[in-house]
Amino acid sequence: MKKNTASLVWDLAKPIADSLGLILWDVKFLKEGNRWYLRITVDKEGGVGIDDCVDMHHAIDGPLDELDPIDQSYNLQVQSPGIERELTRDFHFENYLGEKVWVRLIQSFEGSRDYKGILTAYDDDSVTISLDEETEMNIKKKEASWIKADDFGGFEEK
């Protein structure tokens, strides 16, 4: 099976991030408007700063040119996951079990697209959040626009 661009770059970026004391959070290759972006998202205990992003950018630039996995022109961006980090990978969900999350559905369910609760379970296809003491909601990942963590304490019940 041929790997997609993001997977190829993940395999290249992971050991580089590790060597810099960073956690590779995500890699996305996407088009916005008429431009392509390769976004490498890194994190570390206590949070990343601009210097960490610059270090990662410099460290991966040469190996990325050598691998040359992208045919078209693109912008390389190295960034922090931010305070409302999107959860996409198994280790994200594992790290946020028991924590507050916010889910935005693609289509409205019972009059709302946004649900906030405590992440209580996940698997390859779905997540379960506890909306309150009596109500749990199981959501198919493919039905969510995104699932984000609430790291900054601004969590409000819906």
Side-chain angles (χ1 to χ4, degrees):
M1 180 170 109
K2 184 178 178 189
K3 286 188 169 189
N4 67 26
T5 300
S7 294
L8 288 168
V9 174
W10 178 280
D11 292 345
L12 179 68
K14 177 80 170 89
I16 294 170
D18 291 348
S19 75
L20 295 171
L22 301 171
I23 299 164
L24 184 59
W25 184 263
D26 209 355
V27 174
K28 291 184 178 179
F29 183 60
L30 46 100
K31 189 173 187 181
E32 292 179 354
N34 63 351
R35 300 190 86 148
W36 282 92
Y37 294 90
L38 176 60
R39 289 204 178 109
I40 299 174
T41 306
V42 294
D43 199 11
K44 73 176 182 185
E45 192 68 36
V48 294
I50 189 72
D51 291 339
D52 297 308
C53 294
V54 169
D55 291 346
M56 181 66 184
H57 194 290
H58 287 290
I60 198 163
D61 201 30
L64 194 54
D65 285 344
E66 189 175 309
L67 179 65
D68 196 23
I70 302 170
D71 292 334
Q72 64 266 42
S73 65
Y74 64 94
N75 290 344
L76 172 62
Q77 297 177 331
V78 178
Q79 63 187 20
S80 158
I83 55 177
E84 289 181 341
R85 57 194 60 217
E86 188 171 356
L87 309 180
T88 57
R89 298 180 180 271
D90 284 345
F91 80 91
H92 300 163
F93 292 104
E94 181 68 30
N95 289 344
Y96 280 87
L97 277 173
E99 301 293 329
K100 298 170 184 175
V101 296
W102 178 11
V103 179
R104 173 159 294 158
L105 300 175
I106 294 169
Q107 294 186 352
S108 176
F109 176 74
E110 293 184 359
S112 182
R113 288 181 54 215
D114 293 338
Y115 289 89
K116 295 181 179 185
I118 305 297
L119 179 64
T120 58
Y122 75 95
D123 60 33
D124 289 342
D125 300 318
S126 65
V127 297
T128 303
I129 61 172
S130 176
L131 301 176
D132 57 42
E133 291 181 15
E134 296 98 31
T135 311
E136 281 197 338
M137 183 175 193
N138 187 275
I139 301 164
K140 297 285 185 200
K141 289 178 184 175
K142 67 182 179 184
E143 294 172 356
S145 293
W146 44 253
I147 303 166
K148 293 183 178 181
D150 179 18
D151 284 337
F152 68 98
F155 186 86
E156 297 176 16
E157 295 295 330
K158 178 111 176 126

